[in-house]
Amino acid sequence: MSRNPFPRTFFGRDTITVACDLLGQNLVRSTAAGEIVAKIVEVEAYKGSDDPASHAYRKKTPRNRLMFGKAGIAYVYFIYGNHYCLNVTTEGEGVPGAVLIRAVEVVEGLQIAQTHRTTHSVINLTNGPGKLTQALAITNAHNGLDLTLKGELFISQTETSDDFEIVTDQRVGVTAGKEKPWRFYIRGNKFVSQQFV
DNA sequence: ACAGCGATTGACT
DNA sequence: GTCAATCGCTGTA
């Protein structure tokens, strides 16, 4: 079966729209040990000067510059001195925007993913932004990677279109701009972090 | 220059 | 429930 990445036009749209459309799609990670396929079940949208919670709120810096660049690029940042978080850039060139991937459900290559983490619990393997990057072995090295190319990391459309309901909520862990309802997740999915419903 | 803190997690009480 | 780990950006000097 051939999995093909979404084209740049998919990512080069309004950040909120892209965030919702990413739910249920497949994040594909090719490693030397094999392929890991993970369904995206939880995301958050981050924008620019209108979003105080965003890294791109103030100005362009060496860290956030990718958010200002072209869409469909992996923006990986290091947080709290310990963890990596994976984002996909959105909007057009010069317009900041990114979607944080907060949780995934591994559908293929579970054993490979487990070798990247110490936990033996499947549910704790990928139910958080820092956890899924560790499980998929995503680090700084992937910062700036083009996710529209069929390389070691890309996003492709799911073959099966199972029905799900999208829940909209406030973003997790932010202090400024927390009133913006820009967190989206699949209702009832066990891998969603910190469910309040 | 430097102190403070963040889009988090896991270990320990 | 509490807290350490520990990098890069921001505000203040």
Side-chain angles (χ1 to χ4, degrees):
Chain A
M1 180 201 326
S2 69
R3 299 179 195 281
N4 291 307
F6 280 108
R8 197 167 320 282
T9 51
F10 174 86
F11 300 104
R13 298 178 293 153
D14 172 70
T15 307
I16 310 296
T17 308
V18 177
C20 292
D21 286 355
L22 279 172
L23 287 174
Q25 308 301 351
N26 281 333
L27 180 64
V28 185
R29 172 79 168 101
S30 297
T31 70
E35 197 171 68
I36 303 169
V37 180
K39 183 167 81 170
I40 299 170
V41 302
E42 180 183 357
V43 296
E44 282 178 7
Y46 288 87
K47 309 232 284 188
S49 55
D50 57 339
D51 181 7
S54 172
H55 287 170
Y57 179 52
R58 295 172 194 284
K59 62 181 180 186
K60 203 168 163 179
T61 67
R63 179 174 70 155
N64 69 22
R65 70 191 159 81
L66 291 170
M67 288 183 70
F68 292 82
K70 63 181 173 182
I73 301 295
Y75 167 43
V76 183
Y77 68 88
F78 197 51
I79 190 69
Y80 295 121
N82 287 22
H83 303 281
Y84 294 103
C85 290
L86 172 65
N87 300 250
V88 192
T89 61
T90 58
E91 310 282 348
E93 179 83 38
V95 182
V99 175
L100 168 69
I101 299 181
R102 283 193 56 88
V104 299
E105 175 180 356
V106 175
V107 292
E108 274 181 46
L110 183 63
Q111 292 186 335
I112 302 167
Q114 283 176 316
T115 63
H116 299 313
R117 295 203 5 97
T118 50
T119 179
H120 292 290
S121 155
V122 174
I123 203 72
N124 280 318
L125 193 64
T126 53
N127 64 341
K131 298 177 187 180
L132 73 92
T133 53
Q134 194 182 358
L136 299 196
I138 294 167
T139 67
N140 268 354
H142 301 92
N143 197 33
L145 199 71
D146 193 338
L147 298 177
T148 66
L149 303 178
K150 198 167 183 170
E152 56 179 296
L153 186 66
F154 61 92
I155 298 171
S156 74
Q157 187 153 25
T158 34
E159 303 81 12
T160 55
S161 57
D162 25 305
D163 276 346
F164 56 80
E165 186 185 343
I166 296 177
V167 182
T168 302
D169 202 353
Q170 296 179 337
R171 291 174 292 184
V172 175
V174 303
T175 48
K178 62 168 55 171
E179 74 285 351
K180 296 187 185 301
W182 289 348
R183 175 184 184 225
F184 308 99
Y185 59 91
I186 296 177
R187 184 186 293 280
N189 188 284
K190 295 183 177 59
F191 291 83
V192 172
S193 68
Q194 304 186 33
Q195 285 198 63
F196 300 111
V197 253

